[in-house]
Amino acid sequence: AQSVTQPDIHITVSEGASLELRCNYSYGATPYLFWYVQSPGQGLQLLLKYFSGDTLVQGIKGFEAEFKRSQSSFNLRKPSVHWSDAAEYFCAVGALPTGNQFYFGTGTSLTVIP
Amino acid sequence: DVKVTQSSRYLVKRTGEKVFLECVQDMDHENMFWYRQDPGLGLRLIYFSYDVKMKEKGDIPEGYSVSREKKERFSLILESASTNQTSMYLCASSRVSGLPGNQPQHFGDGTRLSIL
């Protein structure tokens, strides 16, 4: 069965520091991968997506993610974190055999300290 | 930009009431989804719909039903609300491109529902 694991429930970084949020997936074929961000009290906003091609994808707000098939990972990175990046981050995989269903990770909460 | 609008940001209801959560999208998307979000559990799919009058059960459909009479509107119904249905409910939509699973979902701002 398809699944998405975000091993870090909560991460704290200092403003200006680099960030990496981990995501591992379990899926038989080439997955369609997404990262979303959720600010407090808001819905989810799409940061970036990977369908095929270049394994390093660029997203909005200065984020990027790298697809590594050998590690079944799709980690999200940002070189310099801003206080406004504090939010919940969700990794998701879109599964072909079940149609348009997405599988979401349980999320990583990011705290940014000044 | 895609706009997904949920009718209420906050809602308080009583146990046993029939509760309606409404969602409208303005981009003519074929697919619509209802999730609930609980701390530590992430997003769990309740129901989704591929087209008008079509619906499919997600992972946790018990205690819920849905209605899609028009393409732009997808309603979630709690037939007899219970306290364990207190949660954040998120609606999403996506378009079909011929390859299922590869179109991003666009989310509303959520409805925080409390059942007393």
Side-chain angles (χ1 to χ4, degrees), chain A residues 62-109:
Chain A
F63 285 92
E64 66 179 25
E66 186 171 13
F67 171 62
K68 293 185 177 179
R69 184 188 301 277
S70 61
Q71 299 177 20
S72 297
S73 69
F74 188 57
N75 294 349
L76 182 71
R77 302 195 294 246
K78 186 169 185 178
S80 178
V81 171
H82 188 263
W83 64 265
S84 60
D85 293 324
E88 187 96 17
Y89 291 81
F90 291 93
C91 181
V93 59
L96 270 175
T98 55
N100 291 278
Q101 189 164 354
F102 273 33
Y103 295 90
F104 284 88
T106 51
T108 297
S109 176

Coordinates of all heavy atoms in Angstrom, one line a residue, chain A residues 62-109:
Chain A
G62 N 11.1 30.3 -2.3 CA 12.5 29.9 -2.2 C 12.7 28.5 -1.8 O 13.9 28.1 -1.5
F63 N 11.7 27.6 -1.8 CA 11.9 26.2 -1.5 C 12.3 25.4 -2.7 O 11.9 25.7 -3.8 CB 10.6 25.7 -0.9 CG 10.3 26.1 0.5 CD1 9.6 27.2 0.8 CD2 10.8 25.3 1.6 CE1 9.3 27.6 2.1 CE2 10.6 25.7 2.9 CZ 9.9 26.9 3.1
E64 N 13.0 24.3 -2.4 CA 13.3 23.3 -3.5 C 13.2 21.9 -2.8 O 13.2 21.8 -1.6 CB 14.7 23.5 -4.1 CG 15.8 23.3 -3.1 CD 17.2 23.5 -3.7 OE1 17.3 24.2 -4.7 OE2 18.1 22.9 -3.2
A65 N 13.0 20.9 -3.7 CA 13.0 19.5 -3.2 C 13.7 18.6 -4.2 O 13.7 18.9 -5.4 CB 11.5 19.1 -3.0
E66 N 14.3 17.6 -3.7 CA 15.0 16.7 -4.5 C 14.4 15.3 -4.4 O 14.3 14.7 -3.3 CB 16.5 16.6 -4.1 CG 17.3 15.8 -5.1 CD 18.8 15.9 -4.8 OE1 19.2 16.4 -3.8 OE2 19.6 15.4 -5.7
F67 N 14.1 14.7 -5.6 CA 13.6 13.3 -5.7 C 14.8 12.4 -5.8 O 15.6 12.5 -6.7 CB 12.6 13.2 -6.9 CG 12.2 11.8 -7.2 CD1 11.5 11.1 -6.3 CD2 12.6 11.2 -8.4 CE1 11.1 9.8 -6.6 CE2 12.2 9.9 -8.7 CZ 11.4 9.2 -7.8
K68 N 14.8 11.4 -4.9 CA 15.9 10.4 -4.9 C 15.2 9.0 -4.9 O 14.7 8.5 -3.9 CB 16.8 10.5 -3.7 CG 17.7 11.8 -3.7 CD 18.7 11.8 -2.6 CE 19.6 13.0 -2.7 NZ 20.6 13.0 -1.5
R69 N 15.1 8.4 -6.1 CA 14.4 7.2 -6.2 C 15.1 6.1 -5.4 O 14.4 5.3 -4.8 CB 14.4 6.7 -7.7 CG 13.6 5.5 -8.0 CD 13.8 5.0 -9.4 NE 13.4 6.0 -10.4 CZ 12.2 6.2 -10.8 NH1 11.2 5.4 -10.3 NH2 11.9 7.1 -11.7
S70 N 16.4 6.1 -5.3 CA 17.1 5.0 -4.6 C 16.8 5.0 -3.1 O 16.9 4.0 -2.5 CB 18.6 5.1 -4.9 OG 19.1 6.4 -4.4
Q71 N 16.5 6.2 -2.6 CA 16.2 6.3 -1.2 C 14.7 6.5 -0.9 O 14.3 6.7 0.2 CB 17.0 7.5 -0.6 CG 18.5 7.4 -0.7 CD 19.2 8.6 -0.2 OE1 18.7 9.5 0.5 NE2 20.4 8.8 -0.7
S72 N 13.9 6.5 -2.0 CA 12.4 6.7 -1.8 C 12.2 8.0 -1.0 O 11.4 8.0 -0.1 CB 11.7 5.5 -1.2 OG 11.9 4.4 -2.0
S73 N 12.9 9.0 -1.4 CA 12.8 10.3 -0.6 C 12.5 11.5 -1.5 O 12.8 11.5 -2.7 CB 14.1 10.5 0.2 OG 15.1 10.9 -0.7
F74 N 11.9 12.5 -0.9 CA 11.6 13.7 -1.5 C 11.7 14.8 -0.5 O 10.7 15.3 0.0 CB 10.2 13.6 -2.1 CG 9.8 14.8 -3.0 CD1 10.6 15.1 -4.1 CD2 8.6 15.5 -2.8 CE1 10.2 16.2 -4.9 CE2 8.3 16.6 -3.6 CZ 9.1 16.9 -4.7
N75 N 12.9 15.2 -0.1 CA 13.2 16.1 1.0 C 13.0 17.5 0.5 O 13.5 17.9 -0.6 CB 14.5 15.9 1.6 CG 14.6 14.5 2.3 OD1 13.6 13.8 2.5 ND2 15.9 14.1 2.6
L76 N 12.5 18.3 1.4 CA 12.3 19.8 1.1 C 13.4 20.6 1.7 O 13.8 20.3 2.9 CB 10.9 20.2 1.7 CG 10.5 21.7 1.5 CD1 10.1 21.9 0.0 CD2 9.3 22.0 2.4
R77 N 13.9 21.6 1.0 CA 15.0 22.3 1.5 C 14.8 23.8 1.2 O 14.1 24.2 0.3 CB 16.3 21.9 0.8 CG 16.7 20.4 1.0 CD 18.1 20.2 0.6 NE 18.4 20.4 -0.8 CZ 18.7 19.5 -1.7 NH1 18.7 18.2 -1.3 NH2 18.9 19.7 -2.9
K78 N 15.5 24.6 2.1 CA 15.5 26.0 1.9 C 16.8 26.5 2.5 O 17.2 26.2 3.6 CB 14.3 26.7 2.6 CG 14.3 28.2 2.3 CD 13.0 28.9 2.7 CE 12.9 30.3 2.2 NZ 11.7 31.0 2.6
P79 N 17.6 27.3 1.7 CA 18.9 27.7 2.2 C 18.9 28.6 3.4 O 19.9 28.6 4.2 CB 19.6 28.4 0.9 CG 18.5 28.4 -0.1 CD 17.3 27.7 0.4
S80 N 17.9 29.5 3.5 CA 17.9 30.5 4.5 C 16.5 30.7 5.0 O 15.7 31.3 4.2 CB 18.5 31.8 4.1 OG 18.5 32.8 5.1
V81 N 16.2 30.3 6.2 CA 14.8 30.3 6.6 C 14.4 31.7 7.2 O 15.2 32.4 7.8 CB 14.6 29.3 7.8 CG1 13.2 29.4 8.4 CG2 14.7 27.9 7.2
H82 N 13.2 32.1 6.9 CA 12.6 33.4 7.4 C 11.6 33.1 8.4 O 11.0 32.0 8.4 CB 12.0 34.1 6.2 CG 11.6 35.5 6.5 ND1 10.3 35.9 6.8 CD2 12.3 36.7 6.5 CE1 10.2 37.2 7.0 NE2 11.4 37.7 6.8
W83 N 11.4 34.1 9.3 CA 10.4 33.9 10.4 C 9.0 33.5 9.9 O 8.3 32.7 10.5 CB 10.3 35.1 11.3 CG 9.8 36.3 10.6 CD1 10.5 37.3 10.1 CD2 8.4 36.7 10.4 NE1 9.7 38.2 9.5 CE2 8.4 37.9 9.7 CE3 7.2 36.1 10.8 CZ2 7.2 38.5 9.4 CZ3 6.0 36.7 10.5 CH2 6.0 37.9 9.8
S84 N 8.7 34.0 8.7 CA 7.4 33.8 8.1 C 7.2 32.3 7.6 O 6.2 31.9 7.2 CB 7.1 34.7 7.0 OG 8.1 34.6 5.9
D85 N 8.3 31.5 7.6 CA 8.2 30.1 7.2 C 7.7 29.2 8.2 O 7.5 28.0 8.0 CB 9.6 29.6 6.7 CG 10.1 30.3 5.5 OD1 9.3 30.6 4.6 OD2 11.4 30.6 5.4
A86 N 7.5 29.7 9.5 CA 7.0 28.9 10.5 C 5.6 28.5 10.1 O 4.7 29.3 9.9 CB 6.9 29.7 11.8
A87 N 5.4 27.2 10.1 CA 4.1 26.6 9.6 C 4.2 25.1 9.7 O 5.2 24.5 10.2 CB 3.9 27.0 8.1
E88 N 3.2 24.4 9.2 CA 3.1 23.0 9.2 C 3.4 22.6 7.7 O 2.8 23.2 6.8 CB 1.8 22.5 9.6 CG 1.7 21.0 9.7 CD 1.9 20.5 11.2 OE1 1.8 21.3 12.1 OE2 2.2 19.3 11.3
Y89 N 4.2 21.6 7.5 CA 4.6 21.2 6.1 C 4.1 19.7 5.9 O 4.4 18.9 6.7 CB 6.1 21.3 5.9 CG 6.5 22.8 5.9 CD1 6.7 23.5 7.0 CD2 6.7 23.5 4.7 CE1 7.1 24.8 7.0 CE2 7.0 24.8 4.6 CZ 7.2 25.5 5.8 OH 7.6 26.8 5.8
F90 N 3.5 19.5 4.8 CA 3.0 18.2 4.5 C 3.6 17.7 3.1 O 3.5 18.5 2.1 CB 1.5 18.2 4.4 CG 0.8 18.4 5.6 CD1 0.4 19.7 6.0 CD2 0.5 17.4 6.5 CE1 -0.2 19.9 7.2 CE2 -0.2 17.6 7.7 CZ -0.5 18.9 8.1
C91 N 4.0 16.5 3.1 CA 4.4 15.8 1.9 C 3.3 14.9 1.5 O 2.5 14.4 2.3 CB 5.7 15.0 2.2 SG 6.3 14.1 0.8
A92 N 3.1 14.8 0.2 CA 2.0 14.0 -0.3 C 2.4 13.3 -1.6 O 3.2 13.7 -2.4 CB 0.8 14.8 -0.6
V93 N 1.8 12.1 -1.8 CA 2.0 11.3 -3.0 C 0.7 11.1 -3.7 O -0.3 10.8 -3.0 CB 2.8 10.0 -2.8 CG1 2.0 9.1 -1.8 CG2 3.0 9.2 -4.0
G94 N 0.7 11.3 -5.0 CA -0.5 11.0 -5.8 C -0.4 9.7 -6.4 O 0.6 9.3 -7.0
A95 N -1.4 8.8 -6.2 CA -1.3 7.4 -6.5 C -2.1 7.1 -7.8 O -3.3 7.4 -7.8 CB -1.8 6.6 -5.4
L96 N -1.5 6.5 -8.7 CA -2.1 6.2 -10.0 C -3.2 5.1 -9.9 O -4.3 5.3 -10.3 CB -1.1 5.7 -11.0 CG -0.5 6.8 -11.9 CD1 0.5 6.2 -12.8 CD2 -1.6 7.5 -12.7
P97 N -2.9 4.0 -9.3 CA -3.9 2.9 -9.3 C -5.2 3.2 -8.7 O -6.2 2.7 -9.0 CB -3.2 1.8 -8.6 CG -1.7 2.1 -8.7 CD -1.7 3.6 -8.7
T98 N -5.2 4.1 -7.7 CA -6.4 4.4 -7.0 C -7.0 5.7 -7.5 O -7.9 6.4 -6.9 CB -6.2 4.6 -5.5 OG1 -5.1 5.6 -5.3 CG2 -5.8 3.3 -4.9
G99 N -6.6 6.1 -8.7 CA -7.3 7.3 -9.3 C -6.6 8.6 -8.8 O -5.4 8.7 -8.7
N100 N -7.4 9.5 -8.4 CA -6.9 10.8 -8.0 C -6.6 11.0 -6.5 O -6.4 12.0 -6.0 CB -7.9 11.9 -8.4 CG -8.0 12.0 -9.9 OD1 -7.1 12.7 -10.5 ND2 -8.9 11.3 -10.5
Q101 N -6.6 9.9 -5.8 CA -6.4 9.9 -4.4 C -5.0 10.3 -4.0 O -4.0 9.9 -4.6 CB -6.7 8.6 -3.7 CG -6.8 8.7 -2.2 CD -7.5 7.4 -1.6 OE1 -8.0 6.6 -2.3 NE2 -7.4 7.3 -0.3
F102 N -4.8 11.2 -3.1 CA -3.5 11.6 -2.5 C -3.3 10.9 -1.2 O -4.3 10.6 -0.5 CB -3.5 13.1 -2.2 CG -3.1 13.9 -3.4 CD1 -3.4 13.6 -4.7 CD2 -2.4 15.1 -3.2 CE1 -3.0 14.3 -5.8 CE2 -2.0 15.9 -4.3 CZ -2.3 15.5 -5.5
Y103 N -2.1 10.6 -0.8 CA -1.7 10.1 0.5 C -0.8 11.2 1.1 O 0.2 11.6 0.5 CB -1.0 8.8 0.4 CG -1.9 7.7 -0.1 CD1 -2.0 7.4 -1.5 CD2 -2.7 7.0 0.8 CE1 -2.8 6.5 -2.0 CE2 -3.6 6.0 0.3 CZ -3.6 5.7 -1.1 OH -4.5 4.8 -1.6
F104 N -1.2 11.7 2.3 CA -0.4 12.7 3.0 C 0.4 12.1 4.1 O -0.1 11.2 4.8 CB -1.4 13.8 3.5 CG -2.0 14.7 2.5 CD1 -3.1 14.4 1.8 CD2 -1.3 15.9 2.2 CE1 -3.6 15.2 0.8 CE2 -1.8 16.8 1.2 CZ -3.0 16.4 0.5
G105 N 1.5 12.7 4.3 CA 2.2 12.5 5.6 C 1.5 13.1 6.7 O 0.6 13.9 6.5
T106 N 2.0 12.9 7.9 CA 1.4 13.4 9.1 C 1.9 14.8 9.4 O 1.4 15.5 10.4 CB 1.7 12.5 10.3 OG1 3.1 12.3 10.4 CG2 0.9 11.2 10.2
G107 N 2.8 15.3 8.6 CA 3.2 16.7 8.8 C 4.4 16.9 9.7 O 4.7 16.2 10.6
T108 N 5.1 18.0 9.4 CA 6.3 18.5 10.2 C 6.0 19.9 10.6 O 5.8 20.8 9.7 CB 7.6 18.4 9.5 OG1 7.9 17.0 9.2 CG2 8.7 19.0 10.4
S109 N 6.0 20.2 11.9 CA 5.8 21.6 12.4 C 7.1 22.3 12.5 O 8.0 21.8 13.1 CB 5.1 21.5 13.7 OG 4.9 22.8 14.2

